[in-house]
Amino acid sequence: MRIPSATLLVVAAIFCHAQAEELSFDFKDPRGVSQVAFSLDAPLESINGTAKGIAGTVLVDPDNLSTARGKIVVATKSLVVPNPIMRMHLLSKDWLNARSNPEISFEIKKVGRVTKKSADASEVEVTGTFTLSQVTKEVLTKADVIYLPGKLGETTNNKIHGDLLVVRSNFKIRRSDFGIRAGEFLDKVADEISLFVNLVGSAPRKI
Amino acid sequence: MKPRSGSNKVVPLLRALAALSAVAILACWISLGAHMGWSQTRVPVQRTDAVTASTFTDYEERFLPGVDFLVAGLLGSAAIFALTLVMPNSKAGTRR
């Protein structure tokens, strides 16, 4: 039986469209734009720092964000604060124990309400599991998601073409919930930690 | 004028050193920004990525002295001065 070439073209187009629906965004960012900043109160000045050792993959259909799934991992030893002694304490076994707990992670479990803000930007409600110091807690947060089709080339001098996905979110955790010196040194280091997430994921495409 | 002998020569030298170091530390702290927090060896700087419009923190590798630097420096100067008060043959305790 001969299949008309027009039918083949339609099938190919449908197949290609189905393939293009879900994109795999890699959140390893060699440019250093992606980071998770943290801030917590302390007597002399608040402790502010960042973590840039970000990796992970999220599968996203830009037209249907509610199906997004994936995991973002932050290398504990990539946490930086401006004071070197403070950083040494932070990564020591008394606090984060970076040697035994090399990763901090967030895994998407469910994407709830999606609110379209503009053609490429949406606000989503995300439920996920946040793991810190080998303790996992469920976290519900809102995130701004911006899909930038074709923008990857601008960050790679057009060596690699593809799309970018920007994710921004702020949420708070308590160190006591993760067993980090729970109830101790509360006059020096606050229990509540504010996290400011700013991630850029890239999905290369073949031209 | 007769030259002073023994530790009588050292005492004014140490006091001058204490005063000079206190002034130098204060001047250094003020000139480098008079930072009221802890000392920093990398200073955060806010940058914006042109492609994604994301604002992110970058670090400049330089020393920014904080109040710990100031206090430690002034305490060191005070310690040098205090040393002159307990030195033998020092007349600092009796003279005005």
Side-chain angles (χ1 to χ4, degrees), chain A residues 156-173:
Chain A
T156 61
N157 289 329
N158 287 320
K159 285 178 187 161
I160 305 168
H161 295 274
D163 306 337
L164 293 176
L165 190 77
V166 180
V167 181
R168 297 188 188 117
S169 178
N170 302 335
F171 59 96
K172 290 177 181 181
I173 57 166

Side-chain angles (χ1 to χ4, degrees), chain A residues 31-33 35 44-45 49-50 52 80-84 86 148 151 154-155 164 166 168 198 200, chain B residues 35-44 46 49-59 67-68:
Chain A
R31 295 188 309 134
V33 174
Q35 64 176 26
L44 184 60
E45 65 177 340
T50 57
K52 292 206 176 200
V80 167
V81 288
N83 184 284
M86 201 179 280
L148 301 172
K151 287 280 185 179
E154 291 182 29
T155 68
L164 293 176
V166 180
R168 297 188 188 117
N198 181 24
V200 182
Chain B
H35 179 57
M36 293 300 290
W38 298 106
S39 294
Q40 301 177 353
T41 54
R42 55 183 91 193
V43 180
Q46 292 297 309
D49 177 42
V51 180
T52 61
S54 296
T55 305
F56 62 100
T57 304
D58 205 356
Y59 291 94
V67 287
D68 50 337

Side-chain angles (χ1 to χ4, degrees), chain B residues 16-35:
Chain B
L17 179 70
L20 270 174
S21 63
V23 169
I25 282 157
L26 192 63
C28 175
W29 179 72
I30 291 169
S31 65
L32 289 174
H35 179 57

